[in-house]
Amino acid sequence: MIGSFSKPLNYIIVTVMVLTIFICTFFMPEMHIDFENRIIGENMEISEYGFAWPIPGYNKITSYFGKRNSPTQGASSYHKGIDIGAPEGTVLIAVADGEITYTGFLGGGGYTITLSIEDMKITYCHVSPTFIVEVGQKVERGEIIGYVGPKYVYGVKGNTYTDSTGKPTNGATTGCHLHLGIRVNGEYTNPLNYY
């Protein structure tokens, strides 16, 4: 009795597997990570200015550039970048070719990576403290340079930022997100001007 069901069941399993491979191969958007930590494929959004969106798949801006009500103690009422909501561990990519010029804890920005391109500095704030890039490293547009960091960080010397419960936060933050800031010749500018 059991043997009579196993042959048709095996055919069904093999058929489903073949169909899944076929669909994934020919109908899913192409996106993969190669061995050099670069995201390649149609899912990388490139603006008319040639900048890649820093978090593939996450486009919701939770705080815009300019005047705002401070979301937490220590946060500025003039926001010098944009916040993009994304879960901890989400991949961050280089928006353009450039050089990593800073990795470390930077006050209200928490753990930060700075990517420099000629007269432009692009800061990725509230990132993971486990850095995968280092100062002086050249990166290409689309290369994975870090991950969205946790809300809470412990043992950071000089970190004065906490939430309402007193737990130490990854800079001035209320939750996991990327703060993207762009400075041109030292002056902050709206990152959306490049998208």
Side-chain angles (χ1 to χ4, degrees):
M1 180 88 174
I2 293 175
S4 63
F5 287 114
S6 66
K7 260 190 175 174
L9 183 60
N10 286 342
Y11 288 126
I12 291 170
I13 291 171
V14 168
T15 303
V16 167
M17 288 174 58
V18 168
L19 283 172
T20 302
I21 291 169
F22 178 80
I23 290 169
C24 289
T25 302
F26 294 104
F27 296 102
M28 297 296 285
E30 181 186 341
M31 180 174 156
H32 66 276
I33 299 175
D34 73 10
F35 294 109
E36 295 177 357
N37 283 338
R38 296 192 58 205
I39 288 187
I40 299 171
E42 296 168 6
N43 283 353
M44 190 167 62
E45 299 172 51
I46 307 296
S47 75
E48 63 183 281
Y49 301 99
F51 280 69
W53 187 250
I55 309 180
Y58 292 89
N59 298 316
K60 184 175 182 181
I61 297 172
T62 57
S63 186
Y64 287 87
F65 182 86
K67 279 189 82 94
R68 66 173 182 174
N69 292 325
S70 298
T72 186
Q73 186 176 8
S76 173
S77 60
Y78 190 86
H79 197 216
K80 297 177 181 174
I82 59 171
D83 291 345
I84 306 163
E88 181 181 347
T90 302
V91 165
L92 303 173
I93 64 173
V95 298
D97 296 356
E99 180 180 345
I100 303 299
T101 54
Y102 180 82
T103 59
F105 194 86
L106 193 61
Y111 283 103
T112 300
I113 298 169
T114 301
L115 171 64
S116 295
I117 306 156
E118 297 174 6
D119 61 351
M120 180 181 286
K121 293 193 181 301
I122 301 164
T123 52
Y124 296 72
C125 298
H126 314 298
V127 303
S128 169
T130 306
F131 294 112
I132 61 170
V133 290
E134 57 188 34
V135 172
Q137 181 177 339
K138 305 277 195 232
V139 295
E140 295 179 19
R141 181 179 71 186
E143 187 171 342
I144 298 171
I145 61 170
Y147 303 93
V148 172
K151 177 180 179 180
Y152 299 110
V153 293
Y154 298 91
V156 180
K157 188 176 181 179
N159 182 12
T160 60
Y161 297 93
T162 59
D163 69 3
S164 60
T165 66
K167 292 180 183 174
T169 56
N170 191 355
T173 183
T174 58
C176 297
H177 70 281
L178 169 68
H179 169 92
L180 183 73
I182 296 182
R183 285 173 288 161
V184 179
N185 293 317
E187 296 292 321
Y188 282 97
T189 185
N190 187 347
L192 293 181
N193 291 342
Y194 298 91
Y195 291 100

